[in-house]
Amino acid sequence: VCLTCCSRDIMVKIDQICHKNSVKFFTGDVFGYHGYMFADLGEHEFVEEKTKVAKVNPGVEDGPDTKKAKLDSSETTMVKKRVVFCQLKEALAVDWSGEKAKATLKRTTPDYFLLQ
């Protein structure tokens, strides 16, 4: 489900319905130069391709190559990962008065507060 130009209450209500029924939910909007996008994918599983790191030849002990790990682009492995997304209601209900929140506030984009 994709929403745009909706009130906060409608977005929260539809996200709760989607989350309960395991339906992916996206919402977003733009206000001039600022905008936001939120995604609740529930429990999302995906596969990530990782490049294998080649081991340095143990016979070579000196030189700049010994300290650098080399990436072998010809060999890759597939790694299965799982991410659990939070609901919109939880994302908007952050208590900004705590010590942990004050540290997080420095890394939070001001656009987050457009939803508030």
Side-chain angles (χ1 to χ4, degrees):
V1 173
C2 297
L3 291 180
T4 185
C5 301
C6 293
S7 71
R8 178 179 165 165
D9 293 336
I10 290 174
M11 289 187 294
V12 168
K13 185 174 182 172
I14 293 175
D15 179 41
Q16 288 175 333
I17 293 167
C18 289
H19 194 85
K20 186 173 92 175
N21 294 298
S22 300
V23 174
K24 295 177 181 356
F25 173 81
F26 298 89
T27 187
D29 213 337
V30 177
F31 307 102
Y33 288 112
H34 299 280
Y36 69 89
M37 190 283 281
F38 179 83
D40 177 2
L41 304 180
E43 292 185 21
H44 182 67
E45 291 185 354
F46 61 98
V47 177
E48 184 176 65
E49 187 176 12
K50 292 277 190 175
T51 305
K52 285 189 177 181
V53 177
K55 294 183 180 180
V56 177
N57 186 354
V60 179
E61 294 182 8
D62 58 347
D65 293 336
T66 58
K67 295 184 181 179
K68 294 181 183 176
K70 294 184 179 182
L71 295 178
D72 184 6
S73 60
S74 62
E75 287 192 54
T76 59
T77 58
M78 303 303 263
V79 179
K80 188 174 182 179
K81 295 192 174 186
R82 181 176 166 266
V83 178
V84 179
F85 285 74
C86 73
Q87 293 184 42
L88 181 60
K89 185 176 182 177
E90 295 169 18
L92 294 173
V94 175
D95 179 16
W96 293 101
S97 62
E99 287 300 317
K100 186 177 178 182
K102 288 180 184 178
T104 305
L105 186 59
K106 293 177 184 175
R107 295 188 321 259
T108 304
T109 177
D111 294 342
Y112 166 83
F113 298 100
L114 286 173
L115 285 171
Q116 302 297 348

